[in-house]
Amino acid sequence: MTDIQLGMPELPAPDYPADVRERLEADAREIIARYPDSRSALLPMLHLVQSEEGHVTRTGQRFCAEQLGLATAEVNAVATFYTMYRRKASGDYQVGVCTNTLCAVLGGDAIFQDLQEYLGVGNGETTEDGKVTLEHIECNAACDYAPVVMVNWEFFDNQSPDSARRLVDDLRAGREVQPTRGAPLCTFKETARILAGFPDERPGAVEATGGAGPASLAGLRLAQGETAPGGTGQVVPPRDGGEGE
């Protein structure tokens, strides 16, 4: 019969250094003040501590629990439920390849397989230089741009194995990379702080935006009175709440 090896119980999580804790406490007060019930601040608080170390550590969970008057088990239950919270150290850039149905059949599976071989990492693993963490992700609601790759949740549309290789090469080399649409790219820690609810103060970041593609807008154009391609030519007027409604 195999002996069962019982290890020592896990020690309590260490605290942040005093200067880090003081800075995070000031940010936490600002976050908590947004909500009538402090426990509602847990999600942005987890983004806050993730912005400190690049993933949600036991120390970060302890900090959230203390600030919100929760048990660490309650914090852990939330932190381990949502995939946007990392449980281990990861790269500066989270490169996610959509492998849901449409992206997959249009090349997403091929891109993901190629990047695994090119970077020498598996799903959820990080390159040795600490720059890129590769993962496959579910639908990004950008099917008209398929196949889609996301870096720190910014869109890189209409990708191919070759363009995805160039993308990760640029990220690892520190070259400037511009998403297809949306805000300028920043590191994962910087992204986490923005998701915690703190403004992106980089020039032009607030003005940057992304739009839906032609396929996404086809139904809207028809609703506004355009003619369907190959149709009878009859124009259906938009619904404006007038007579005949």
Side-chain angles (χ1 to χ4, degrees):
M1 182 175 180
T2 304
D3 291 336
I4 298 176
Q5 300 295 324
L6 298 178
M8 292 292 293
E10 192 172 44
L11 296 174
D15 199 357
Y16 286 118
D19 60 328
V20 174
R21 184 179 179 89
E22 182 178 2
R23 172 167 48 79
L24 289 177
E25 284 178 342
D27 289 338
R29 286 193 293 271
E30 183 175 337
I31 293 173
I32 294 169
R34 302 171 191 158
Y35 300 91
D37 184 343
S38 64
R39 70 180 296 134
S40 299
L42 179 54
L43 296 183
M45 285 282 291
L46 286 168
H47 284 299
L48 174 66
V49 297
Q50 183 159 254
S51 74
E52 187 63 32
E53 298 177 87
H55 65 295
V56 178
T57 63
R58 292 175 58 238
T59 295
Q61 292 186 45
R62 169 185 168 180
F63 176 80
C64 291
E66 291 173 350
Q67 298 299 308
L68 300 175
L70 300 173
T72 53
E74 293 177 284
V75 175
N76 181 262
V78 175
T80 56
F81 181 82
Y82 293 103
T83 58
M84 291 180 79
Y85 302 122
R86 308 301 177 188
R87 305 183 206 176
K88 61 181 181 180
S90 55
D92 294 333
Y93 300 99
Q94 306 281 325
V95 176
V97 182
C98 182
T99 55
N100 214 324
T101 306
L102 187 57
C103 277
V105 299
L106 290 176
D109 282 347
I111 292 171
F112 184 62
Q113 180 63 38
D114 185 76
L115 284 181
Q116 288 186 92
E117 297 172 0
Y118 185 63
L119 297 173
V121 297
N123 182 46
E125 296 180 351
T126 302
T127 54
E128 290 184 0
D129 58 11
K131 293 294 185 180
V132 169
T133 297
L134 178 67
E135 62 180 351
H136 73 81
I137 51 179
E138 292 301 324
C139 184
N140 295 308
C143 301
D144 46 335
Y145 292 107
V148 174
V149 173
M150 297 195 85
V151 181
N152 296 346
W153 299 300
E154 298 295 346
F155 288 104
F156 290 81
D157 304 320
N158 301 312
Q159 293 294 296
S160 67
D162 287 341
S163 67
R165 285 192 180 201
R166 290 194 296 271
L167 173 60
V168 296
D169 282 345
D170 288 342
L171 293 172
R172 299 181 74 183
R175 291 188 284 267
E176 183 177 351
V177 172
Q178 183 63 43
T180 308
R181 51 204 164 96
L185 190 65
C186 57
T187 67
F188 182 69
K189 289 182 179 180
E190 292 168 334
T191 301
R193 183 169 177 81
I194 294 169
L195 291 172
F198 294 95
D200 187 347
E201 297 178 347
R202 295 172 298 157
V206 175
E207 293 78 13
T209 186
S216 296
L217 297 175
L220 176 62
R221 292 197 302 270
L222 291 173
Q224 291 175 338
E226 293 188 21
T227 304
T232 62
Q234 181 180 2
V235 176
V236 179
R239 297 172 64 87
D240 59 5
E243 249 179 81
E245 289 293 306

